[in-house]
Amino acid sequence: MRAFTVLVAAVLGIVLLVAPAQAAGPQHPGDFTGYAFDTCDAPSQKKMNDWRRASRYAGVGVYIAGMNRACKAQPHLTRTWVNKQERKGWRLLPLVVGRQASCAPHGRYVGKRISDRPARGYAAARAQGRDAARRAVSAARRLGIAKRSVLWFDLEHFDTGVKRCRLSALSFTSGWTMGLHQRGYRSGFYSSASSGIAMLDDARRNRPRKYALPDYLWVAEWNGQDTVRSSYISQQGWWPNRRVHQYRGPRTENHAGSRINVDSNFLSTGRGTRAGKAGGPCMVRVDFPSYRRLERGDRGPRVAAAQCLLKQDRHYRGRLHGRYDKATSRAVRSFQRHQAGVSTSGAVTARTWTSLLSHGGDPLVKYGAGGKAVRRLQRALNAATDAALDIDGTFGKPELRAVKGYQRQSGRADTGVVTPATWRLLRHGRTVGRLASPAELEISELLEGLGLLADIPFSSGAVRD
């Protein structure tokens, strides 16, 4: 019996030692449409926190492994760092900079290139790809990155006109993809649009069964267009939610006082951002493109919506009959007495609507978010501004413009990120009337960008070609 007990204890000890290596967190990047940055060294926690609350980015590319990785030290990149970013809602894009193309121009890759020996259909290159996948998965597991996450191989620009170089790169990528699939991870591939990406799309169209193609593509095309479209890849390839577009090359950005040299990316992955079920707070319509003033004697669906919101906030106990009667007026006054900045007129003004519609928690919401908090934000902005947003539960470019305009006209930093401070403005009934037009906002953002472009022009990750 004692021997059995010792054996069980020993087995349990082995399990406990092995368990931490098994990642159980979220799959990255998951279902998402939005912005991400990539940078050479994983930033400090302070910088990550600053950028979370003050930048539009919700994803971060991190270089986790690879013999040609430029930033090998990675002082912040630990299992604890990964876990903290996951808890805060960051989407991770783990990158590996391994062997480069056999015809890659940089001398630093000598001895660290893909084999271009054609024997047995470039078997050596396929084996190197499988080995790269094995090493990548080991690194991902050490960091706690869950299975079914996408791991990205970074293959820098090369001359696809060199046949053996091109075919060995295709074979390597095929081995990389198969090796990841065998270990339960998804395959991602990063390269310049004109070389590696065009090469893979050509293989997809003309030799679809010859190679195991990656699940996701990361297209480096610095055209400044924050979409997932590219002129180097056909519309049918890896569309619509299996692409990342690195649309702007390295520059230093400053958010909340934290400066990082980054590349900027727009991505659409998984099923894209999900809005979830639309269920409102009551069994009446509360979604409108605008919320007009209501007072005694009014009738209709907006009155029923106001009654619903007042009831939700425990100021109204009657039926949702859509008539602005004496009981409704009393409930409105009761609500107004409890809200700073809202006059106790008894009429549902734009300020009262804004306060009513924004009531609830104050989660951080930014581009790419989806769900009930986004719907609440959309309703409140429709009351506080002339945004006329579709209340669909997804935070996209119209919401970004509306939030930035609302913040700017409220005298706040126009980050486009809805923090507790922005929620407080809404709850206090702050209205701003007309927002800046999309063209005006684009000009403002362009001028802001030009001011930043003068900063440190060097690569944020592997050596750029």
Side-chain angles (χ1 to χ4, degrees), residues 93-236:
L93 291 85
L95 282 149
V96 173
V97 192
R99 293 180 182 275
Q100 295 299 296
S102 62
C103 58
H106 290 299
R108 64 179 295 172
Y109 298 143
V110 173
K112 300 178 180 179
R113 301 182 186 220
I114 297 169
S115 170
D116 64 353
R117 287 179 293 167
R120 294 182 294 122
Y122 294 93
R126 285 198 306 275
Q128 289 173 335
R130 288 193 298 270
D131 181 65
R134 177 182 63 79
R135 294 173 184 272
V137 169
S138 295
R141 286 175 174 169
R142 284 195 301 273
L143 292 169
I145 297 170
K147 281 188 174 183
R148 299 189 64 76
S149 293
V150 183
L151 305 183
W152 305 85
F153 191 88
D154 180 337
L155 188 66
E156 295 293 314
H157 181 81
F158 63 98
D159 184 357
T160 58
V162 180
K163 182 178 179 180
R164 284 174 56 167
C165 185
R166 181 181 70 253
L167 295 181
S168 60
L170 279 167
S171 297
F172 179 93
T173 305
S174 185
W176 161 261
T177 297
M178 290 187 292
L180 288 180
H181 288 176
Q182 289 167 0
R183 292 166 174 81
Y185 286 80
R186 292 186 170 97
S187 167
F189 179 83
Y190 167 98
S191 190
S192 64
S194 61
S195 61
I197 299 302
M199 172 191 74
L200 282 177
D201 195 44
D202 176 74
R204 180 192 65 81
R205 288 182 286 108
N206 298 313
R207 298 176 298 284
R209 297 182 181 178
K210 186 174 178 62
Y211 302 101
L213 298 175
D215 304 302
Y216 291 83
L217 291 190
W218 190 336
V219 184
E221 184 180 6
W222 296 349
N223 57 13
Q225 302 298 310
D226 52 349
T227 73
V228 290
R229 297 179 183 274
S230 171
S231 58
Y232 288 90
I233 182 172
S234 58
Q235 184 74 353
Q236 294 75 29

Side-chain angles (χ1 to χ4, degrees), residues 22 49 54 63 80 111 118 127 185 222 238 267 280-281 314 353 389 409:
Q22 305 303 311
N49 292 343
Y63 292 84
T80 300
Y185 286 80
W222 296 349
W238 292 270
L267 61 153
R314 299 183 180 180
W353 272 123
L389 299 169
Q409 294 196 41

